[in-house]
Amino acid sequence: MKKTRLYLMIMMLSLGALTTVNATEKIATSTPTEIPAEVQVMLDRLEEIKEMDKSGLERLEKKALRKEVRAIKAELRSTGNGIYISAGAVIIILLLIILL
């Protein structure tokens, strides 16, 4: 009887792990197909700054570029749509669902 419970528990955990791997793959691969115009403008500006030759710039100009890059990246992070769930959180959620 105890071995049956052990085998059942191992089977449930292995099934939970398999579904967790599939769930994280689906979450990670779901990206928006269209990029909004304002986001695309910011991404283009970042690429433009990255490709610039900064060796001829003065210290204050480099500092201004760094501030601009940080501001653009912060704005891009804040406009990011979607919910990101870690693999550990998915495992905990599945275990709670199974136990309840």
Side-chain angles (χ1 to χ4, degrees):
M1 186 68 168
K2 290 184 181 182
K3 286 186 177 183
T4 307
R5 286 186 181 176
L6 176 67
Y7 293 140
L8 181 63
M9 181 69 91
I10 291 172
M11 184 179 70
M12 293 298 283
L13 288 174
S14 65
L15 288 175
L18 289 175
T19 57
T20 303
V21 170
N22 290 337
T24 54
E25 289 175 2
K26 289 179 184 176
I27 290 172
T29 58
S30 63
T31 57
T33 56
E34 271 185 39
I35 299 175
E38 60 189 25
V39 173
Q40 188 62 43
V41 168
M42 287 187 261
L43 291 174
D44 291 340
R45 178 65 181 149
L46 283 176
E47 286 297 319
E48 183 181 321
I49 292 172
K50 189 185 296 184
E51 293 171 0
M52 286 176 80
D53 182 25
K54 299 175 196 88
S55 62
L57 297 177
E58 293 181 9
R59 194 177 119 222
L60 292 175
E61 292 171 334
K62 288 180 184 179
K63 189 175 181 180
L65 279 176
R66 280 195 303 270
K67 283 185 179 182
E68 183 180 355
V69 168
R70 287 181 189 146
I72 291 173
K73 285 185 178 182
E75 191 171 339
L76 286 175
R77 271 188 241 119
S78 68
T79 60
N81 296 331
I83 299 173
Y84 297 100
I85 301 175
S86 67
V90 172
I91 291 171
I92 291 172
I93 291 169
L94 288 175
L95 287 175
L96 286 174
I97 290 172
I98 289 171
L99 291 175
L100 296 177

